[in-house]
Amino acid sequence: MVKMEDTDTGEIQEIKVNMVVLNSSFRPAEGSEELAKVLGIELEETGWVKEKNPNSGALETTRDGIYMAGCIHGPKDGTDTVNEGKGAAMAAQSILPLPHPPVPEAVPPLDVGEEPRVGVFICHCGGIIGNVIDSPGLAQWASHLPHVVHSTDYIFMCSDPGQEFITDAIIEHKLNRVVVGSCSPLQHEDTFRRALEAAGISGYYLVGPVGLREMIALVNANDPPDVRQEKAQDMIRSGVAKAINNEIVPVKSVDVTRVAMIVGGGVSGMSAALDIARKGFDVTLVEKEAKLGGRLNDLYNLFPKMESAQEIVDDLTARVEKEKRIKILLNSKPILREGSYGNYGITIRNTETGKQEVHTIGSMVITTGTDTYDPKKGEYGWEEVPGVITTLQLERMLRNGELKKPPKNPVFIHCVGSRQSPGEGNRYCSRVCCSAVITMQHELKEMFPDIRVFSAYKEHIRPFANNMEVMWRENRQKGVSYLRWIREKPVTVEKAPDVDEAIVTVYDTLSQETFKIRSNMVVLALGLEAPHDVNELTKALGINRGQDGFLLEVHMKFKPVETTVPGIFLGATYAKNVSDSINQARGAASAACAPLNLGTVNIELLTADVDEDLCVGCDLCHYSEICPYDAISMVEVSPGVKKSVTNELACEGCGACCSICPTGARDLRWWREKSFYDQIEEMLRE
């Protein structure tokens, strides 16, 4: 029996259940104290490893040369942990010399003949797949498919023993095509390609992983067993059809221009630039405003340690301007990307003079930060009721010392432009606003101890960051009133009839009382959005935005700084505080250094080729401008005869030109039209 209070109605409810799940809190790992003593680093009173600086040095311990990432210094989300791991790696490698990795021993090619010999490998995924379908039965069934000469199953195909299992089977059975039924290609395609290459055959002879986990185990677990098994058979049969048509994709090795570009000169961009420059590479730092510093130029003190934003900006700016390897371009924006991975030509336009200049770079980090939500006129009294301001305006007032008299009953309204209802706007949490509000309330109570401060929060208050729960508790102890409202009964802000001030009406669900507060300062806690000119950037660089408007990474967990354009990495993908922004930027800088460290990159020519016998020179693929990468041209092959040609280094293999070609002359390597038709036919086979 579970007894709890319904805070909306005040009623006590008793619910009979057969399972109670405790959402346990994070605690420092066992052994952290002993590890800290061995390494000579300090711990916080809470037991987490102490950060050198909670904003600009959150990955650095109190001892130079020792860095950290993840939950060793506080509770973290998975994405933040991966970002921090990359960022800590960047911090560590930036003080080390350039690596000289040994050349791996070449694997002799395996003689497997021309006739397709397919191997099928079914993964149990530790039971995630094996408990939903009959993995051994599926492997046995697949052994009877045309061209399949070996079929088996294993508990974890992606593990080291699982990969060796595949490699050994290729050699033993002389396989020249491989189908793996497991998880997502996004997660383990490269893993299994390496297993093929270790056996001496091309990784391009792999199909998969065929997504038995994502496409069946995670979505069809409640279907009848025969339905699940039949779907798995359809997917594997289709995968085998694809494997038979697979071909080797040529790879071109090119020298890298060992220069990085950082787009965005805020504290994140400056931190990334310093890391890369310290590694020994030249950096071009591009900032659209007239000075460096970004959002922190408008902020006062930063949570959780109430550190001066100006001091952080001044310190980073001085270090960047002193670094000879960093070239700073102010009032500038990138407007065009040309060239190919390792040698991009980025056209930069000066927004004041209009002058354009092309910079050749090997990699890029984007740290463009955020803008704030623009409230609509009348939204919580904005631009209609006296005294209604934004958190950013209050920050500037505090920063400039403009607040001389105590405001009357200041009211903070949370989630303005965040966590909105469907159809209203931004549905995500901006992660910063609650902590920023708590910080400003702390400042006001320090300046004017006797004022009454009210905070109207929507459903939940989320003081995200180390020690912010402590500051929230201290604010309550000092008399700040936190009122909980729900979207069904929103806060209203009206002009008082007698004086120039606001009347804020809040129905507090916890006390179940309605408060009418007269105030001459109503502060709207604005949510964060992608930069309002971000579309210009995505068009110029050929990268994508997500549904939330922010720049889109390849995968939030596995590849949080990578884009679909090789060599371009993201230090800004969603709303976050200063320390998390810097950490991600340093992580992106780590990824951007990889091609610079190597000096050469391999470009996969998975591009559209042209059958000249079928091409009639209609120019539709070129004239229509359907190619987003400008990789198509018409070349005169004989007097009066033109044929379509692909610039293989510029082509990204999107296939748009193949779809528009009226004669079928254009086809995409590895993803041939015949391959698609064969896959579809086998998938739909009764």
Side-chain angles (χ1 to χ4, degrees):
M1 185 70 71
V2 177
K3 182 182 289 188
M4 57 186 178
E5 178 187 357
D6 183 337
T7 55
D8 287 339
T9 64
E11 297 178 356
I12 303 298
Q13 298 181 349
E14 291 186 353
I15 304 174
K16 188 177 291 186
V17 299
N18 60 10
M19 178 183 289
V20 176
V21 180
L22 303 181
N23 188 6
S24 302
S25 62
F26 281 67
R27 291 289 186 271
E30 186 177 348
S32 294
E33 188 173 348
E34 182 181 351
L35 178 63
K37 289 180 180 177
V38 171
L39 298 178
I41 58 178
E42 297 178 31
L43 298 179
E44 298 278 6
E45 293 180 0
T46 54
W48 308 111
V49 173
K50 187 174 184 179
E51 301 162 344
K52 185 176 181 179
N53 183 291
N55 287 297
S56 58
L59 302 181
E60 301 168 30
T61 67
T62 52
R63 185 171 184 179
D64 290 344
I66 298 180
Y67 305 94
M68 58 186 168
C71 294
I72 191 72
H73 63 127
K76 302 291 175 186
D77 169 74
T79 302
D80 294 330
T81 297
V82 175
N83 282 332
E84 287 193 358
K86 291 175 179 285
M90 179 70 249
Q93 69 160 300
S94 68
I95 60 175
L96 299 174
L98 279 176
H100 297 284
V103 178
E105 187 176 343
V107 178
L110 187 66
D111 184 11
V112 291
E114 297 293 331
E115 186 69 20
R117 295 177 60 83
V118 182
V120 176
F121 299 86
I122 306 299
C123 183
H124 295 239
C125 201
I128 296 177
I129 295 173
N131 292 340
V132 176
I133 65 170
D134 178 5
S135 295
L138 180 61
Q140 175 62 30
W141 171 87
S143 67
H144 301 292
L145 292 174
H147 301 288
V148 174
V149 298
H150 179 69
S151 183
T152 186
D153 62 287
Y154 190 72
I155 185 70
F156 280 115
M157 283 292 178
C158 64
S159 65
D160 288 344
Q163 295 174 59
E164 292 174 8
F165 186 54
I166 294 173
T167 300
D168 293 342
I170 292 171
I171 296 172
E172 180 182 351
H173 299 281
K174 296 188 180 300
L175 305 178
N176 56 19
R177 303 288 192 279
V178 171
V179 176
V180 178
S182 59
C183 51
S184 162
L186 183 63
Q187 188 172 356
H188 279 306
E189 182 180 57
D190 289 341
T191 302
F192 294 121
R193 280 186 173 179
R194 288 194 295 269
L196 271 65
E197 291 163 356
I201 68 172
S202 171
Y204 293 104
Y205 286 137
L206 168 76
V207 169
V210 175
L212 299 180
R213 186 180 68 182
E214 281 75 6
M215 305 299 289
I216 298 179
L218 300 182
V219 294
N220 296 112
N222 295 325
D223 290 344
D226 59 328
V227 172
R228 302 195 298 260
Q229 198 72 8
E230 182 180 356
K231 182 176 179 181
Q233 291 173 355
D234 290 341
M235 293 176 67
I236 294 299
R237 187 171 58 242
S238 177
V240 170
K242 171 72 176 80
I244 293 169
N245 289 297
N246 274 11
E247 61 187 286
I248 296 176
V249 175
V251 174
K252 185 178 180 63
S253 180
V254 298
D255 291 333
V256 173
T257 299
R258 288 183 156 178
V259 178
M261 178 175 285
I262 312 293
V263 179
V267 293
S268 299
M270 288 192 284
S271 299
L274 287 167
D275 276 342
I276 297 174
R278 191 160 50 242
K279 187 65 183 172
F281 300 119
D282 291 337
V283 181
T284 302
L285 179 59
V286 181
E287 167 56 42
K288 65 182 180 181
E289 302 295 341
K291 64 178 180 178
L292 299 173
R295 174 68 62 210
L296 264 68
N297 285 318
D298 296 320
L299 304 186
Y300 182 40
N301 289 333
L302 303 179
F303 59 81
K305 300 291 187 181
M306 309 307 291
E307 183 182 11
S308 167
Q310 187 62 56
E311 289 180 5
I312 293 178
V313 171
D314 290 346
D315 173 64
L316 285 171
T317 301
R319 289 162 58 193
V320 165
E321 291 176 343
K322 184 180 178 181
E323 175 55 63
K324 295 180 180 179
R325 291 189 176 275
I326 299 177
K327 180 180 181 180
I328 302 170
L329 302 177
L330 299 177
N331 299 307
S332 299
K333 289 184 177 183
I335 60 170
L336 181 65
R337 172 178 66 87
E338 297 177 304
S340 60
Y341 180 29
N343 298 281
Y344 289 128
I346 307 297
T347 302
I348 302 296
R349 182 177 63 204
N350 186 292
T351 55
E352 283 195 333
T353 65
K355 182 181 177 181
Q356 297 183 9
E357 186 178 2
V358 177
H359 296 257
T360 303
I361 63 168
S363 61
M364 175 186 287
V365 175
I366 301 175
T367 54
T368 48
T370 60
D371 276 331
T372 55
Y373 170 77
D374 288 330
K376 303 177 183 66
K377 185 174 182 180
E379 187 174 2
Y380 300 109
W382 177 248
E383 294 184 336
E384 290 185 352
V385 177
V388 177
I389 61 175
T390 68
T391 41
L392 201 54
Q393 288 176 312
L394 179 56
E395 287 271 10
R396 292 174 182 143
M397 293 169 67
L398 292 169
R399 179 187 179 98
N400 299 331
E402 298 172 6
L403 210 57
K404 305 297 184 182
K405 298 180 180 179
K408 178 181 178 180
N409 300 329
V411 180
F412 291 79
I413 301 177
H414 293 235
C415 298
V416 179
S418 293
R419 299 179 58 243
Q420 294 172 296
S421 298
E424 290 182 356
N426 303 322
R427 300 184 63 182
Y428 54 81
C429 170
S430 292
R431 300 214 317 177
V432 175
C433 321
C434 285
S435 295
V437 163
I438 290 169
T439 302
M440 284 184 273
Q441 292 165 349
H442 173 85
E443 295 281 1
L444 289 176
K445 291 296 286 185
E446 288 287 312
M447 295 170 65
F448 311 110
D450 297 330
I451 63 171
R452 291 290 307 276
V453 180
F454 297 87
S455 201
Y457 65 93
K458 184 195 291 187
E459 300 164 341
H460 314 285
I461 192 164
R462 303 176 177 184
F464 183 88
N466 286 349
N467 299 313
M468 288 311 300
E469 290 273 352
V470 175
M471 188 180 293
W472 179 32
R473 186 184 309 118
E474 291 174 352
N475 283 359
R476 298 199 303 272
Q477 292 169 347
K478 292 177 181 179
V480 178
S481 299
Y482 290 89
L483 310 176
R484 178 182 182 271
W485 59 278
I486 56 177
R487 61 192 71 212
E488 290 80 11
K489 295 182 179 180
V491 176
T492 61
V493 182
E494 302 169 304
K495 184 182 183 304
D498 48 351
V499 291
D500 277 347
E501 60 184 28
I503 297 177
V504 182
T505 304
V506 186
Y507 175 73
D508 176 34
T509 63
L510 299 181
S511 65
Q512 296 179 28
E513 294 183 6
T514 298
F515 291 79
K516 287 187 175 292
I517 307 163
R518 281 181 170 260
S519 171
N520 64 2
M521 179 185 282
V522 179
V523 185
L524 307 185
L526 300 184
L528 300 181
E529 297 181 329
H532 295 160
D533 59 355
V534 71
N535 278 338
E536 298 176 15
L537 184 68
T538 57
K539 184 177 180 180
L541 300 179
I543 56 178
N544 301 314
R545 299 176 68 183
Q547 291 184 345
D548 58 7
F550 289 94
L551 296 176
L552 184 65
E553 65 282 290
V554 169
H555 191 284
M556 181 180 289
K557 302 294 184 185
F558 302 117
K559 294 185 176 181
V561 301
E562 287 82 356
T563 69
T564 54
V565 178
I568 297 183
F569 304 95
L570 301 177
T573 50
Y574 54 88
K576 54 177 72 69
N577 60 34
V578 174
S579 63
D580 288 338
S581 298
I582 290 177
N583 295 345
Q584 181 172 349
R586 300 184 80 173
S590 177
C593 276
L596 307 185
N597 286 336
L598 293 171
T600 60
V601 292
N602 292 326
I603 299 178
E604 180 183 66
L605 301 181
L606 210 164
T607 58
D609 58 15
V610 180
D611 184 338
E612 288 195 4
D613 291 336
L614 294 178
C615 179
V616 296
C618 68
D619 199 28
L620 186 60
C621 56
H622 176 246
Y623 181 76
S624 65
E625 297 184 347
I626 196 171
C627 178
Y629 309 104
D630 195 25
I632 299 173
S633 59
M634 300 300 294
V635 176
E636 191 171 26
V637 296
S638 61
V641 179
K642 288 188 175 183
K643 301 288 185 180
S644 178
V645 174
T646 300
N647 179 344
E648 293 190 325
L649 292 180
C651 176
E652 295 288 343
C654 69
C657 60
C658 302
S659 66
I660 202 173
C661 179
T663 66
R666 282 189 159 270
D667 208 356
L668 200 60
R669 285 179 180 146
W670 206 78
W671 294 107
R672 300 292 182 185
E673 186 175 289
K674 180 181 185 306
S675 176
F676 278 119
Y677 282 137
D678 288 353
Q679 277 188 277
I680 294 169
E681 182 179 353
E682 292 301 321
M683 179 70 76
L684 300 179
R685 186 181 296 278
E686 293 293 336

